[in-house]
Amino acid sequence: MQKTLEGLVTPFVAIVIALLIGAGVMLVTSHNPLTAYGALFSGAFGSTINVSNTLANAIPLILSGLGVAIAFKAGLFNIGAEGQYWIGSMAAVWIGYSVPGLSPILHVSLSIVVGMLAAGLWAGIIPGLAKAFVGAHEVITTMMMSYIAIFLSHYMLENGPMMQPGFTPQSPVILPSAMLGKLVERTQLSWGLVIALAACFIIYWLLYKTTLGYRLRMVGLNARAAKYAGINVPLHLVLALFISGMLAGLAGAVQMLGVQHRLYDSFSSGYGFTAIVVALLANNNPFGVILASVFFAALSTGGQSMQLVSGVPAHLTDVISGIIIFLVATKNIVQMVQKRWRKRHTIAPVKEA
Protein backbone atom coordinates (compact mmCIF):
# COMPACT_ATOMS: atom_id res chain seq x y z
CA MET A 1 0.00 0.00 0.00
CA GLN A 2 2.84 2.37 0.90
CA LYS A 3 4.56 1.67 -2.41
CA THR A 4 1.34 2.44 -4.27
CA LEU A 5 0.96 5.76 -2.45
CA GLU A 6 4.58 6.64 -3.19
CA GLY A 7 3.93 5.91 -6.86
CA LEU A 8 1.07 8.46 -6.84
CA VAL A 9 3.23 11.27 -5.44
CA THR A 10 5.20 12.00 -8.62
CA PRO A 11 2.16 12.16 -10.96
CA PHE A 12 0.30 14.38 -8.48
CA VAL A 13 3.26 16.74 -8.07
CA ALA A 14 3.77 16.82 -11.84
CA ILE A 15 0.13 17.82 -12.40
CA VAL A 16 0.26 20.54 -9.74
CA ILE A 17 3.49 22.03 -11.10
CA ALA A 18 2.16 21.92 -14.67
CA LEU A 19 -1.04 23.71 -13.62
CA LEU A 20 0.98 26.34 -11.74
CA ILE A 21 3.21 26.94 -14.77
CA GLY A 22 0.09 27.18 -16.91
CA ALA A 23 -1.29 29.78 -14.47
CA GLY A 24 1.96 31.71 -14.78
CA VAL A 25 1.64 31.75 -18.56
CA MET A 26 -1.92 33.06 -18.21
CA LEU A 27 -0.80 35.86 -15.87
CA VAL A 28 1.97 36.91 -18.26
CA THR A 29 -0.57 37.07 -21.10
CA SER A 30 -3.04 39.08 -18.96
CA HIS A 31 -5.56 36.30 -18.32
CA ASN A 32 -7.14 35.31 -15.02
CA PRO A 33 -6.02 31.74 -14.10
CA LEU A 34 -8.92 31.22 -11.70
CA THR A 35 -11.46 32.12 -14.37
CA ALA A 36 -9.70 29.97 -16.96
CA TYR A 37 -9.33 26.89 -14.78
CA GLY A 38 -12.86 27.34 -13.48
CA ALA A 39 -14.15 27.33 -17.07
CA LEU A 40 -12.00 24.29 -17.87
CA PHE A 41 -13.38 22.39 -14.88
CA SER A 42 -16.94 23.44 -15.67
CA GLY A 43 -16.55 22.43 -19.29
CA ALA A 44 -15.34 18.99 -18.25
CA PHE A 45 -17.52 18.28 -15.18
CA GLY A 46 -20.08 21.10 -14.94
CA SER A 47 -23.11 19.09 -16.02
CA THR A 48 -24.25 15.54 -16.65
CA ILE A 49 -23.66 15.97 -20.38
CA ASN A 50 -20.16 17.39 -19.81
CA VAL A 51 -19.21 14.59 -17.42
CA SER A 52 -20.57 12.01 -19.85
CA ASN A 53 -18.60 13.42 -22.77
CA THR A 54 -15.44 13.60 -20.67
CA LEU A 55 -15.82 9.94 -19.69
CA ALA A 56 -16.55 9.06 -23.32
CA ASN A 57 -13.28 10.71 -24.36
CA ALA A 58 -11.49 8.83 -21.59
CA ILE A 59 -12.60 5.36 -22.80
CA PRO A 60 -10.14 4.98 -25.71
CA LEU A 61 -7.39 6.51 -23.58
CA ILE A 62 -8.00 3.97 -20.81
CA LEU A 63 -7.84 1.01 -23.18
CA SER A 64 -4.90 2.27 -25.23
CA GLY A 65 -3.11 3.34 -22.04
CA LEU A 66 -3.52 -0.15 -20.62
CA GLY A 67 -1.93 -1.54 -23.77
CA VAL A 68 1.08 0.76 -23.53
CA ALA A 69 1.38 0.11 -19.78
CA ILE A 70 1.50 -3.68 -20.11
CA ALA A 71 4.22 -3.31 -22.75
CA PHE A 72 6.16 -1.02 -20.42
CA LYS A 73 5.83 -3.62 -17.66
CA ALA A 74 7.52 -6.15 -19.95
CA GLY A 75 10.31 -3.71 -20.74
CA LEU A 76 8.94 -2.79 -24.17
CA PHE A 77 8.10 0.63 -25.60
CA ASN A 78 5.05 0.14 -27.81
CA ILE A 79 4.97 3.45 -29.58
CA GLY A 80 2.71 2.07 -32.32
CA ALA A 81 -0.57 1.97 -30.37
CA GLU A 82 -2.00 4.51 -32.82
CA GLY A 83 -1.61 2.10 -35.72
CA GLN A 84 -3.01 -0.79 -33.70
CA TYR A 85 -5.96 1.46 -32.85
CA TRP A 86 -6.61 1.93 -36.59
CA ILE A 87 -6.32 -1.79 -37.32
CA GLY A 88 -8.79 -2.64 -34.54
CA SER A 89 -11.15 0.04 -35.82
CA MET A 90 -11.02 -1.20 -39.42
CA ALA A 91 -11.60 -4.82 -38.45
CA ALA A 92 -14.48 -3.99 -36.08
CA VAL A 93 -16.22 -1.72 -38.59
CA TRP A 94 -15.85 -4.31 -41.37
CA ILE A 95 -17.55 -6.97 -39.22
CA GLY A 96 -20.05 -4.36 -38.07
CA TYR A 97 -21.46 -3.58 -41.51
CA SER A 98 -20.74 -6.73 -43.52
CA VAL A 99 -22.14 -9.51 -41.28
CA PRO A 100 -25.95 -9.24 -41.08
CA GLY A 101 -28.41 -11.48 -39.27
CA LEU A 102 -26.66 -11.68 -35.90
CA SER A 103 -28.13 -10.88 -32.50
CA PRO A 104 -26.80 -7.66 -30.90
CA ILE A 105 -24.77 -9.47 -28.24
CA LEU A 106 -23.18 -11.81 -30.77
CA HIS A 107 -22.56 -9.09 -33.35
CA VAL A 108 -20.94 -6.69 -30.87
CA SER A 109 -18.85 -9.49 -29.35
CA LEU A 110 -17.69 -10.73 -32.75
CA SER A 111 -16.75 -7.22 -33.90
CA ILE A 112 -14.76 -6.57 -30.73
CA VAL A 113 -12.97 -9.93 -30.77
CA VAL A 114 -11.99 -9.61 -34.44
CA GLY A 115 -10.75 -6.06 -33.85
CA MET A 116 -8.67 -7.16 -30.86
CA LEU A 117 -7.18 -10.16 -32.67
CA ALA A 118 -6.32 -8.14 -35.77
CA ALA A 119 -4.54 -5.44 -33.74
CA GLY A 120 -2.84 -8.02 -31.50
CA LEU A 121 -1.45 -9.87 -34.50
CA TRP A 122 -0.41 -6.55 -36.06
CA ALA A 123 1.71 -5.81 -32.98
CA GLY A 124 2.83 -9.33 -32.19
CA ILE A 125 3.82 -10.86 -35.51
CA ILE A 126 6.34 -8.42 -37.03
CA PRO A 127 7.40 -6.16 -34.10
CA GLY A 128 7.12 -8.98 -31.55
CA LEU A 129 8.95 -11.65 -33.51
CA ALA A 130 11.55 -9.16 -34.75
CA LYS A 131 12.27 -8.10 -31.17
CA ALA A 132 12.34 -11.64 -29.82
CA PHE A 133 14.54 -13.30 -32.42
CA VAL A 134 16.70 -10.66 -34.11
CA GLY A 135 16.70 -7.90 -31.47
CA ALA A 136 15.03 -5.26 -33.66
CA HIS A 137 14.07 -2.33 -31.45
CA GLU A 138 10.32 -2.18 -30.90
CA VAL A 139 10.27 1.63 -31.07
CA ILE A 140 11.31 1.47 -34.72
CA THR A 141 9.21 -1.52 -35.74
CA THR A 142 6.00 -0.46 -33.98
CA MET A 143 6.29 3.07 -35.36
CA MET A 144 6.83 1.72 -38.90
CA MET A 145 3.85 -0.61 -38.53
CA SER A 146 1.80 2.31 -37.23
CA TYR A 147 2.37 4.32 -40.41
CA ILE A 148 1.64 1.26 -42.52
CA ALA A 149 -1.68 0.85 -40.69
CA ILE A 150 -2.59 4.51 -41.18
CA PHE A 151 -1.85 4.45 -44.90
CA LEU A 152 -3.62 1.11 -45.23
CA SER A 153 -6.74 2.74 -43.83
CA HIS A 154 -6.40 5.56 -46.34
CA TYR A 155 -6.28 2.98 -49.12
CA MET A 156 -9.30 1.12 -47.75
CA LEU A 157 -11.39 4.30 -47.61
CA GLU A 158 -10.18 6.26 -50.63
CA ASN A 159 -11.77 4.31 -53.51
CA GLY A 160 -10.83 1.11 -51.69
CA PRO A 161 -12.86 -1.95 -50.67
CA MET A 162 -14.31 -0.31 -47.53
CA MET A 163 -15.40 2.96 -49.16
CA GLN A 164 -19.12 3.63 -49.23
CA PRO A 165 -20.43 4.44 -52.73
CA GLY A 166 -20.13 8.17 -53.29
CA PHE A 167 -17.43 10.82 -53.08
CA THR A 168 -16.78 10.94 -49.31
CA PRO A 169 -13.94 8.69 -48.08
CA GLN A 170 -15.83 6.82 -45.40
CA SER A 171 -17.10 3.31 -44.73
CA PRO A 172 -20.76 2.28 -44.59
CA VAL A 173 -22.49 2.73 -41.23
CA ILE A 174 -22.33 -0.37 -39.07
CA LEU A 175 -25.57 -2.29 -38.60
CA PRO A 176 -27.73 -1.41 -35.57
CA SER A 177 -27.04 -4.86 -34.12
CA ALA A 178 -23.33 -3.96 -33.88
CA MET A 179 -23.80 -0.66 -32.06
CA LEU A 180 -23.02 -0.31 -28.37
CA GLY A 181 -25.89 1.17 -26.37
CA LYS A 182 -25.68 4.55 -24.64
CA LEU A 183 -25.32 4.85 -20.88
CA VAL A 184 -26.57 8.46 -20.99
CA GLU A 185 -28.89 9.52 -23.78
CA ARG A 186 -27.91 12.43 -26.07
CA THR A 187 -24.25 11.99 -25.17
CA GLN A 188 -21.35 9.93 -26.53
CA LEU A 189 -21.05 7.84 -23.37
CA SER A 190 -21.65 4.19 -24.26
CA TRP A 191 -21.30 0.81 -22.58
CA GLY A 192 -17.70 1.03 -23.66
CA LEU A 193 -17.04 2.60 -20.26
CA VAL A 194 -18.01 -0.68 -18.58
CA ILE A 195 -15.74 -2.57 -20.98
CA ALA A 196 -12.84 -0.22 -20.22
CA LEU A 197 -13.25 -0.53 -16.44
CA ALA A 198 -13.55 -4.31 -16.71
CA ALA A 199 -10.35 -4.35 -18.78
CA CYS A 200 -8.52 -2.47 -15.99
CA PHE A 201 -9.50 -5.10 -13.42
CA ILE A 202 -8.59 -7.93 -15.79
CA ILE A 203 -5.16 -6.47 -16.59
CA TYR A 204 -4.47 -5.84 -12.90
CA TRP A 205 -5.39 -9.44 -12.13
CA LEU A 206 -3.27 -10.66 -15.05
CA LEU A 207 -0.20 -8.67 -14.03
CA TYR A 208 -0.25 -9.23 -10.28
CA LYS A 209 -2.24 -12.40 -9.63
CA THR A 210 -1.12 -14.80 -12.38
CA THR A 211 2.05 -16.62 -13.33
CA LEU A 212 1.97 -15.05 -16.78
CA GLY A 213 1.88 -11.57 -15.29
CA TYR A 214 4.77 -12.37 -12.95
CA ARG A 215 6.84 -13.62 -15.88
CA LEU A 216 6.03 -10.55 -17.98
CA ARG A 217 7.10 -8.26 -15.14
CA MET A 218 10.24 -10.29 -14.50
CA VAL A 219 11.23 -10.08 -18.18
CA GLY A 220 10.71 -6.32 -17.96
CA LEU A 221 12.81 -5.96 -14.83
CA ASN A 222 15.72 -8.14 -15.96
CA ALA A 223 15.52 -10.28 -19.09
CA ARG A 224 18.83 -12.03 -18.33
CA ALA A 225 17.73 -13.03 -14.84
CA ALA A 226 14.37 -14.17 -16.25
CA LYS A 227 16.15 -16.35 -18.80
CA TYR A 228 18.39 -17.78 -16.05
CA ALA A 229 15.26 -18.58 -14.03
CA GLY A 230 13.91 -20.65 -16.91
CA ILE A 231 11.46 -18.16 -18.40
CA ASN A 232 11.07 -18.24 -22.18
CA VAL A 233 11.98 -14.59 -22.79
CA PRO A 234 11.28 -14.44 -26.58
CA LEU A 235 7.81 -15.96 -26.07
CA HIS A 236 6.90 -13.44 -23.37
CA LEU A 237 8.16 -10.50 -25.43
CA VAL A 238 5.85 -11.57 -28.26
CA LEU A 239 2.98 -12.12 -25.82
CA ALA A 240 3.48 -8.68 -24.26
CA LEU A 241 3.25 -6.92 -27.62
CA PHE A 242 0.32 -9.13 -28.66
CA ILE A 243 -1.66 -8.24 -25.50
CA SER A 244 -0.66 -4.59 -25.85
CA GLY A 245 -1.90 -4.52 -29.44
CA MET A 246 -5.14 -6.26 -28.48
CA LEU A 247 -5.93 -3.55 -25.95
CA ALA A 248 -5.20 -0.75 -28.44
CA GLY A 249 -7.39 -2.58 -30.95
CA LEU A 250 -10.12 -2.88 -28.33
CA ALA A 251 -9.96 0.90 -27.91
CA GLY A 252 -10.55 1.37 -31.63
CA ALA A 253 -13.33 -1.21 -31.76
CA VAL A 254 -15.19 0.30 -28.79
CA GLN A 255 -14.84 3.80 -30.22
CA MET A 256 -16.28 2.70 -33.56
CA LEU A 257 -19.14 0.64 -32.14
CA GLY A 258 -20.05 3.13 -29.43
CA VAL A 259 -19.38 6.58 -30.91
CA GLN A 260 -18.36 6.82 -34.57
CA HIS A 261 -20.45 3.94 -36.02
CA ARG A 262 -18.40 4.17 -39.22
CA LEU A 263 -14.79 4.63 -40.24
CA TYR A 264 -13.82 8.06 -41.56
CA ASP A 265 -10.62 8.83 -43.40
CA SER A 266 -8.28 10.47 -40.86
CA PHE A 267 -10.83 9.97 -38.07
CA SER A 268 -8.25 9.42 -35.31
CA SER A 269 -7.73 11.96 -32.56
CA GLY A 270 -4.28 10.69 -31.58
CA TYR A 271 -5.50 8.38 -28.83
CA GLY A 272 -2.66 5.93 -29.45
CA PHE A 273 -0.01 8.62 -28.92
CA THR A 274 -1.74 10.18 -25.91
CA ALA A 275 -1.89 6.67 -24.42
CA ILE A 276 1.90 6.79 -24.00
CA VAL A 277 1.53 9.89 -21.83
CA VAL A 278 -1.31 8.25 -19.89
CA ALA A 279 0.80 5.18 -19.11
CA LEU A 280 3.76 7.33 -18.02
CA LEU A 281 1.63 9.49 -15.74
CA ALA A 282 -0.08 6.41 -14.28
CA ASN A 283 3.30 4.78 -13.63
CA ASN A 284 1.93 1.75 -15.55
CA ASN A 285 -0.64 1.04 -12.83
CA PRO A 286 -3.93 -0.19 -14.37
CA PHE A 287 -6.04 1.80 -11.92
CA GLY A 288 -3.78 4.82 -12.28
CA VAL A 289 -4.49 4.63 -16.02
CA ILE A 290 -8.16 5.37 -15.29
CA LEU A 291 -7.35 8.55 -13.36
CA ALA A 292 -4.75 9.71 -15.88
CA SER A 293 -7.15 9.09 -18.78
CA VAL A 294 -9.95 11.07 -17.13
CA PHE A 295 -7.48 13.91 -16.44
CA PHE A 296 -6.34 14.17 -20.07
CA ALA A 297 -9.90 13.74 -21.33
CA ALA A 298 -10.94 16.61 -19.04
CA LEU A 299 -8.18 18.80 -20.46
CA SER A 300 -9.43 18.06 -23.97
CA THR A 301 -13.13 18.49 -23.20
CA GLY A 302 -12.77 21.52 -20.93
CA GLY A 303 -10.18 23.27 -23.09
CA GLN A 304 -12.77 24.52 -25.55
CA SER A 305 -14.91 25.93 -22.74
CA MET A 306 -11.83 27.61 -21.26
CA GLN A 307 -11.14 29.32 -24.57
CA LEU A 308 -14.73 30.50 -25.00
CA VAL A 309 -15.14 31.85 -21.45
CA SER A 310 -11.70 33.25 -20.60
CA GLY A 311 -10.08 33.72 -24.00
CA VAL A 312 -7.16 31.46 -23.10
CA PRO A 313 -6.24 29.34 -26.16
CA ALA A 314 -7.28 25.71 -25.80
CA HIS A 315 -3.78 24.71 -26.94
CA LEU A 316 -2.53 25.69 -23.48
CA THR A 317 -3.76 22.26 -22.39
CA ASP A 318 -1.15 20.78 -24.75
CA VAL A 319 1.50 22.85 -22.97
CA ILE A 320 0.31 21.47 -19.63
CA SER A 321 0.47 17.92 -21.00
CA GLY A 322 4.00 18.50 -22.27
CA ILE A 323 5.17 19.82 -18.91
CA ILE A 324 3.71 16.76 -17.17
CA ILE A 325 5.57 14.45 -19.56
CA PHE A 326 8.80 16.35 -18.96
CA LEU A 327 8.48 16.19 -15.18
CA VAL A 328 7.58 12.48 -15.11
CA ALA A 329 10.40 11.66 -17.53
CA THR A 330 12.86 13.72 -15.48
CA LYS A 331 11.93 11.74 -12.38
CA ASN A 332 12.58 8.47 -14.23
CA ILE A 333 15.96 9.73 -15.49
CA VAL A 334 16.98 10.82 -11.98
CA GLN A 335 16.00 7.42 -10.59
CA MET A 336 18.06 5.66 -13.28
CA VAL A 337 21.14 7.82 -12.52
CA GLN A 338 20.74 7.24 -8.77
CA LYS A 339 20.46 3.49 -9.30
CA ARG A 340 23.65 3.37 -11.37
CA TRP A 341 25.49 5.58 -8.87
CA ARG A 342 24.51 3.33 -5.96
CA LYS A 343 25.47 0.22 -7.91
CA ARG A 344 28.89 1.66 -8.76
CA HIS A 345 29.62 2.73 -5.19
CA THR A 346 28.39 -0.57 -3.80
CA ILE A 347 30.55 -2.71 -6.09
CA ALA A 348 33.72 -0.62 -5.79
CA PRO A 349 34.40 -1.30 -2.06
CA VAL A 350 33.84 -5.02 -2.68
CA LYS A 351 36.50 -5.06 -5.40
CA GLU A 352 38.95 -3.22 -3.15
CA ALA A 353 38.37 -5.70 -0.34
Side-chain angles (χ1 to χ4, degrees):
M1 182 67 179
Q2 182 178 356
K3 189 175 181 180
T4 302
L5 292 175
E6 290 176 356
L8 295 175
V9 171
T10 299
F12 178 76
V13 172
I15 291 172
V16 171
I17 293 176
L19 292 176
L20 290 175
I21 293 175
V25 172
M26 294 178 199
L27 289 173
V28 170
T29 55
S30 301
H31 292 95
N32 187 330
L34 295 178
T35 302
Y37 283 143
L40 189 150
F41 184 85
S42 177
F45 304 108
S47 68
T48 301
I49 292 178
N50 291 349
V51 171
S52 299
N53 289 332
T54 297
L55 293 177
N57 287 335
I59 292 171
L61 292 179
I62 292 172
L63 294 169
S64 299
L66 282 176
V68 176
I70 200 168
F72 277 151
K73 281 292 187 181
L76 298 168
F77 197 164
N78 180 14
I79 204 171
E82 180 76 3
Q84 295 144 26
Y85 179 92
W86 278 80
I87 293 297
S89 299
M90 281 190 286
V93 168
W94 178 67
I95 295 295
Y97 74 74
S98 65
V99 183
L102 299 179
S103 65
I105 293 178
L106 182 58
H107 203 171
V108 169
S109 300
L110 180 62
S111 300
I112 288 176
V113 169
V114 171
M116 291 176 66
L117 288 176
L121 292 172
W122 190 265
I125 290 181
I126 294 181
L129 294 177
K131 174 69 175 180
F133 295 105
V134 299
H137 204 292
E138 69 278 1
V139 170
I140 303 299
T141 55
T142 55
M143 176 58 77
M144 291 173 63
M145 294 298 289
S146 183
Y147 280 107
I148 292 172
I150 292 170
F151 285 110
L152 175 62
S153 68
H154 293 331
Y155 161 73
M156 298 293 282
L157 294 173
E158 295 176 4
N159 297 314
M162 288 185 68
M163 181 178 176
Q164 184 182 37
F167 300 99
T168 304
Q170 62 186 15
S171 73
V173 177
I174 62 174
L175 298 172
S177 57
M179 296 180 183
L180 284 171
K182 300 292 184 183
L183 286 177
V184 179
E185 293 299 326
R186 297 188 299 278
T187 70
Q188 295 183 338
L189 185 60
S190 70
W191 282 93
L193 178 63
V194 177
I195 295 174
L197 295 178
C200 288
F201 282 94
I202 291 171
I203 295 302
Y204 178 84
W205 171 79
L206 174 69
L207 283 175
Y208 298 104
K209 303 297 181 181
T210 68
T211 303
L212 174 60
Y214 172 78
R215 290 174 177 173
L216 289 174
R217 289 185 289 117
M218 189 171 181
V219 169
L221 290 171
N222 193 322
R224 290 185 179 180
K227 182 178 180 180
Y228 182 78
I231 295 175
N232 188 335
V233 174
L235 173 62
H236 286 83
L237 290 175
V238 174
L239 281 175
L241 281 175
F242 177 73
I243 297 171
S244 179
M246 285 181 66
L247 289 165
L250 175 60
V254 168
Q255 186 73 358
M256 292 299 103
L257 304 183
V259 179
Q260 301 286 144
H261 298 155
R262 75 191 324 161
L263 191 64
Y264 295 98
D265 194 21
S266 301
F267 77 92
S268 178
S269 299
Y271 292 123
F273 295 120
T274 308
I276 300 171
V277 187
V278 167
L280 286 173
L281 183 61
N283 201 23
N284 302 323
N285 184 297
F287 298 121
V289 165
I290 299 175
L291 299 177
S293 298
V294 172
F295 174 75
F296 283 108
L299 287 180
S300 176
T301 305
Q304 299 301 322
S305 175
M306 180 179 70
Q307 180 170 327
L308 290 173
V309 173
S310 65
V312 176
H315 289 297
L316 182 64
T317 58
D318 297 327
V319 176
I320 294 173
S321 300
I323 295 170
I324 292 171
I325 298 170
F326 174 79
L327 294 173
V328 173
T330 301
K331 180 251 186 183
N332 292 335
I333 293 171
V334 170
Q335 283 184 337
M336 181 179 67
V337 172
Q338 288 177 339
K339 187 182 297 184
R340 290 186 176 181
W341 185 87
R342 289 171 186 167
K343 183 179 180 181
R344 183 179 301 173
H345 286 74
T346 302
I347 296 175
V350 175
K351 289 184 177 180
E352 293 175 1

